[in-house]
Amino acid sequence: MYLFRDFLIVGCGSFLGGGCRFLVSKAATAWFTTSFPFGTFIVNLLGCFLIGFFSGLPYANFGLSPQAKLLLTTGFCGGFTTFSTFMNENLSLLSGGNNLYFFLYLVGSFALGLLCVWGGTVLAKLVAM
């Protein structure tokens, strides 16, 4: 029973996260006209920040349940970010001869992603004080 409920919670979060990913990616693509994949880059960095923030919140202090954390982290952030698209875009950059963009995208995503998760966690701790 609880497994099915949690499955639906994650599914709802994923639906919303995927929809938001689509909107943010489209907006970023409209703003930046370059072969650098800014849409996925922005989505993944923002998702890193959000999962750091959501994971760092002391849920009991805010009256949020474990299901709320499941909805926000596994569901929304899991649906919002996209590792497969990230890897596919890296391969496209590499095979297209865009070695500089490939390097910046790969290293920038990992380094800035880790920084964003840390920043989200720090912000969550500040909010919880």
Side-chain angles (χ1 to χ4, degrees):
M1 179 67 172
Y2 293 117
L3 180 63
F4 184 67
R5 178 200 62 200
D6 290 348
F7 173 80
L8 291 177
I9 289 169
V10 170
C12 289
S14 295
F15 172 77
L16 295 172
C20 288
R21 177 181 68 224
F22 172 77
L23 295 174
V24 171
S25 288
K26 288 298 179 188
T29 302
W31 291 332
F32 302 103
T33 55
T34 179
S35 59
F36 188 85
F38 275 107
T40 306
F41 186 69
I42 291 168
V43 159
N44 284 340
L45 292 180
L46 182 57
C48 285
F49 178 81
L50 290 173
I51 202 163
F53 181 78
F54 295 146
S55 295
L57 283 177
Y59 279 75
N61 293 358
F62 292 101
L64 295 173
S65 66
Q67 289 75 30
K69 187 172 185 176
L70 193 60
L71 174 82
L72 295 170
T73 56
T74 306
F76 183 83
C77 289
F80 185 64
T81 59
T82 173
F83 189 73
S84 57
T85 300
F86 166 71
M87 287 310 210
N88 188 47
E89 289 170 344
N90 271 296
L91 182 61
S92 293
L93 289 171
L94 195 57
S95 56
N98 292 317
N99 295 336
L100 178 61
Y101 281 174
F102 164 74
F103 179 78
L104 291 173
Y105 189 38
L106 186 68
V107 173
S109 293
F110 282 104
L112 293 174
L114 184 58
L115 187 63
C116 286
V117 171
W118 175 79
T121 303
V122 168
L123 182 62
K125 289 178 182 174
L126 290 173
V127 167
M129 292 179 127

